[in-house]
Amino acid sequence: MKQSVAILGAAGLTGRELILILARHPWLEAAVLTSDRYAGERVAQVYPELDGLSNLSFEKHTLNLPRECPVLLATPDDVALQAVPELLERGHRIVDLSGAFRLTPEIFRKTYGKEHPAPSALAAAVYGLPEIARERIRSARLVANPGCFPTGCVFILHALGPYLDRALGVVVDAKSGVSGAGGRTEDAGFAYQNVYENFRAYKVLRHQHNPEIQLHSNSPLPVQFVPHLLPLYRGILSTIHIIWQDSPPDVETLLRDAAKKEIFVRYRDNPEDIELKKVQHSNYLDLSCRTLGSATAIVSAIDNLQKGAAGQAIQNLNVMLGLAEHAGLMIKPDAENGVPE
Amino acid sequence: MKQSVAILGAAGLTGRELILILARHPWLEAAVLTSDRYAGERVAQVYPELDGLSNLSFEKHTLNLPRECPVLLATPDDVALQAVPELLERGHRIVDLSGAFRLTPEIFRKTYGKEHPAPSALAAAVYGLPEIARERIRSARLVANPGCFPTGCVFILHALGPYLDRALGVVVDAKSGVSGAGGRTEDAGFAYQNVYENFRAYKVLRHQHNPEIQLHSNSPLPVQFVPHLLPLYRGILSTIHIIWQDSPPDVETLLRDAAKKEIFVRYRDNPEDIELKKVQHSNYLDLSCRTLGSATAIVSAIDNLQKGAAGQAIQNLNVMLGLAEHAGLMIKPDAENGVPE
Amino acid sequence: MKQSVAILGAAGLTGRELILILARHPWLEAAVLTSDRYAGERVAQVYPELDGLSNLSFEKHTLNLPRECPVLLATPDDVALQAVPELLERGHRIVDLSGAFRLTPEIFRKTYGKEHPAPSALAAAVYGLPEIARERIRSARLVANPGCFPTGCVFILHALGPYLDRALGVVVDAKSGVSGAGGRTEDAGFAYQNVYENFRAYKVLRHQHNPEIQLHSNSPLPVQFVPHLLPLYRGILSTIHIIWQDSPPDVETLLRDAAKKEIFVRYRDNPEDIELKKVQHSNYLDLSCRTLGSATAIVSAIDNLQKGAAGQAIQNLNVMLGLAEHAGLMIKPDAENGVPE
Amino acid sequence: MKQSVAILGAAGLTGRELILILARHPWLEAAVLTSDRYAGERVAQVYPELDGLSNLSFEKHTLNLPRECPVLLATPDDVALQAVPELLERGHRIVDLSGAFRLTPEIFRKTYGKEHPAPSALAAAVYGLPEIARERIRSARLVANPGCFPTGCVFILHALGPYLDRALGVVVDAKSGVSGAGGRTEDAGFAYQNVYENFRAYKVLRHQHNPEIQLHSNSPLPVQFVPHLLPLYRGILSTIHIIWQDSPPDVETLLRDAAKKEIFVRYRDNPEDIELKKVQHSNYLDLSCRTLGSATAIVSAIDNLQKGAAGQAIQNLNVMLGLAEHAGLMIKPDAENGVPE
């Protein structure tokens, strides 16, 4: 019998992706789906393309969940801030996909201009990038699933960490599809005529993921972050530019080695081989780099709804529950490349 | 009566744009169009959307052109390298849209791995960015029209020139539509299924425009250049990241002041206002910036076929012929913002 | 000196296109632009890509217009219904781009479920498809500019008119880009994620243009009309299917002959040559056909904002004012193919 | 243990989709994949997004396959025509996804202008639309998987069959994404710049699927078929127009009833609800209709690579092997809506 899982905020873009992944998961299954907007409707009514994958209906937001049922929180930040303390008290283990528990109290205050309302829960939260925090996630009661943009660069900057004090500057120039940029259908900025055949930067040097990147990449230098909106739906490609003081370290070997240990990270020979098509609908982080003189350019690609959100959340849940880390994430059990079971 | 102009290589993407602009030009008109591929065919047969704009037919490549007729060269580099010396000798004034005459002999050798075959023509060439070389263009016999990527950043870096020695690093992260990236229809890389819903970097730190940017921006620092391919047709958006040593100069005022003098440069209040939609089919260079701590991000946008190629070529030709610089470029004669006539 | 023209409702998609066309018109110029939403703003603020083409500012909706100034009405139907009688009384000649004056009183009542509120103006209105009503337009005081879908098929059905009683059925299967389908930015149906990589029919057999097509095509048979929404911005391609009783008439010759007389209609040899790319940003109606047994398929293409709206409105205005019919519409004065001056 | 399956021509668009489906199939698995072009390369090298789903490598085309192994043929027609007789002789059961065995000898001759080279195999072939031929497929040795366009309309026309003699005309106006239209990357017609923001008809009244539709729909009337190319990748939407002699039959009830018995056919209340987004990546055929006077418009949608090719092939194989018809096709075993096991 499969382990039941609850998804709160299950009808959004990320929630839909969680339903899809769990429908194919060998050991987990969605048992509760909440959505105030669609309460009473069946999954297949709201998402016809998921017809046959789930017979559940959405119900109103609630914290009265089956005992011991792990919870995936795909709600806005403020709902998560309220729900998490109570869910912890009720004994649930949680993966929170919102931005509510990813920062320290100080950085949260600076970023959002207010005190964090649930400091003790925050103190217990583990930042859920399995590639850098697997052991702590294993026993965590609350995992803060990383933002989509940080997922595209934190692992990389972390791998270079010990060498970054030899750098003069670190720039993350990220390009995201509509679904990674928020993409609410009522927002004129996301109307077809304002997206198609168009491209623009947004929240230049002011994105809320910038402090998250800074904090978890352990970079001794400020990381300069500019996101852009691509005329497509799925995927984030990040170009990380590093300017080195003198001779750069062997970035390629550092990244190759870091990737080698990870089932979901793929180092490729040329940065020109990194493209969104190769990671869409998968949980991979693809990356490559080139160094010329004192400059290094690293290119990475993820599917923002998978590795950048729902896929990573299931990866975290797998780790927390002692399952194979890749279970349900489209990697066959006999994969040869070092499944960390 | 209008002045006749010859376009060599008139059936390519850039040639087509030249035909379109000249069809509406008040004082110039295309008189000769060459294309080996389409010799004998009428413009409207090859480009039905130009029907009614031109009654000319393409003819085979030739240098036997009407006496004193200015020449727009929209051919590949190697054709330009052969044609230019002879055309100069025959007394023609030339705007060359290829990459053949944009570099110094030394940098040409380093970039293309061979000696420049027409050194005396090269010595006479003026780099055709009117915003930084208007006076020299006025009397030039050969103008080397800038590449599309350099057009998106050279004016900006030039304006910051005196201050760039206070910088630690300069990165140009550029994103181009298919027409700017070459976009030949036979190339599988430009097949619909490999472009739509996709995004990737190319020629990372190895693009042939990098030395051109370095040379003409007068930057004391190496400029780190990475181009990317957008899933759209027209436009280049460049994000220029500068990391400053200590306190940065007042970049905004420097750029605002530089823009103020120019009819085709528009400074906008917020970098989020720079988008491809606002410059497509126009000869504008839009730009804006934001500085935070020791980091500055500058965003610029152009239409690569207009300001990045054909529009700029006509702008150069206007200057060479003593016409209003904006003639035929969709700016009305009574424009209030400082037409440099 | 150019003739002044007023555009009411000048800030919408169609109004923007009218501004663009008039900016290049040799004998007409926009003198008044109204828009309640953007009153006080300059054209270039609302449409940066038109910077340099117009120095006008939008003003509040008004009927106090320069004496004898022709009026282009690009407002919603209800505004047009109110404005037209008064404007006629003030002596203005009008091209109304709304749907308010295209039907007979009876068909208007049936289509909109209410009496037409301005029956005497309606009685004076001429349906503005120059290709079938040029003479009446010449002297009209009120021209009802056709809808975009009717423009794609009425001329064709009209040309076949005398033969359609030999048909068993006539189907118009039309496919429109977002701008032809309404495309308001606040409508979730036009959000990027609901348009890209998607396709659907809408208002199946219930579109308000169906009675307009029926009325003006003079078809003795009911015309079955189904519009669809394409994932693109500009253009309408219509496939007209006719099923004939016995042997069909020579449809190709009928259409070729009808096209031959018209400057803006182009018959092409193969229906596979009809494509949106070839008519976008132009005022052409392209068409072709194929007959096999008792079946004929006719394919036509227009730019819905040009020939399907603003271009056709200027074409009508040119006819009304005795100007060359193609003036300002990108056809050179020396066009050889029969300018009806 | 899972049943081994061979895929010949496994590296094309359809082959790739077969690999993807089989990777998740509970009872079948790909054991042999052939591709002359990619022989020796691993699946994940050719299709990085399938990394982890298959550890197989492509091998050269061969008919030496594991004994009793069912074969999926995703090769061009001519390869299938050669391979099928020999594979049958060797005792393999086959689902052929090419067009080689879908017509009668007479119609094949008329369509392709030559005799069918394998008439006895052809005589044994069963047309693989499970919704109309389930029983015959169960025991078939050779199943001819339908073309993508026929899949979008044959079931519908079949359901109306007894009533079609009351019709005057039947028109299928179909719109396909690039992958359904062939979409070879080397073909300039499928270059990004010729597809994006464009739309056109092709093979008007001359598509090779027309005779297939005519044959298997059992329509007493000629079916008039015109396909079009959409600027998107996946999916076919077909609009079927019927003109009735007098009063039409109750088309809605006929279609609802036919759909009710089928697990992969979904009748929806409004034709406006049929859209490609709702069927992409699924094996569903969605449909709806509206009748007005003597006209009926039926709209259907499929994913051309799933229900229109690979999904349907697996559905057929499931039926042949006595498995649940939906196995591996994203329908959960506990689906309530009438699994035909």
Side-chain angles (χ1 to χ4, degrees), chain A residues 6-11 32-40 57-65 71-87 90 96:
Chain A
I7 307 175
L8 306 194
V32 178
L33 308 176
T34 74
S35 162
D36 280 349
R37 181 166 177 185
Y38 293 109
S57 294
F58 294 106
E59 49 192 278
K60 274 200 171 304
H61 180 63
T62 175
L63 304 185
N64 278 319
L65 303 170
V71 178
L72 295 161
L73 264 178
T75 65
D77 288 16
D78 55 338
V79 178
L81 286 168
Q82 274 207 310
V84 160
E86 188 171 338
L87 287 170
R90 286 165 181 249
D96 175 29

Side-chain angles (χ1 to χ4, degrees), chain C residues 168-173 175 192-206 210 222 224-226 228 230-235 237 239-243 270-278 280 289-292 294-297 299, chain D residues 168-173 175 192-206 210 222 224-226 228 230-235 237 239-243 270-278 280 289-292 294-297 299:
Chain C
L168 294 169
V170 178
V171 171
V172 176
D173 189 295
K175 300 88 176 171
Y192 182 77
Q193 61 191 278
N194 291 327
V195 173
Y196 102 103
E197 194 69 8
N198 200 11
F199 185 69
R200 58 184 171 87
Y202 66 100
K203 297 189 185 175
V204 173
L205 300 179
R206 288 180 181 169
N210 207 340
Q224 186 164 341
F225 177 64
V226 180
H228 302 74
L230 289 164
L232 56 83
Y233 188 64
R234 244 173 202 268
L237 189 137
T239 312
I240 305 172
H241 306 272
I242 305 180
I243 295 142
N270 293 298
E272 289 82 6
D273 287 339
I274 307 303
E275 44 183 342
L276 294 185
K277 280 227 165 314
K278 292 176 181 158
Q280 279 157 351
C289 72
R290 182 166 294 135
T291 295
L292 193 81
S294 61
T296 296
V299 183
Chain D
L168 294 169
V170 177
V171 171
V172 176
D173 189 295
K175 299 89 175 171
Y192 182 76
Q193 61 190 275
N194 291 326
V195 173
Y196 101 102
E197 196 68 7
N198 199 10
F199 185 69
R200 57 182 172 88
Y202 66 100
K203 297 188 184 176
V204 172
L205 300 179
R206 289 181 180 168
N210 207 338
Q224 184 164 342
F225 177 64
V226 179
H228 301 75
L230 289 165
L232 56 84
Y233 188 65
R234 244 173 203 267
L237 189 136
T239 312
I240 305 171
H241 306 272
I242 305 179
I243 296 143
N270 292 297
E272 289 81 6
D273 287 339
I274 307 302
E275 45 183 342
L276 294 185
K277 280 227 164 313
K278 291 175 180 159
Q280 279 157 350
C289 71
R290 181 167 297 136
T291 295
L292 193 79
S294 61
T296 296
V299 183

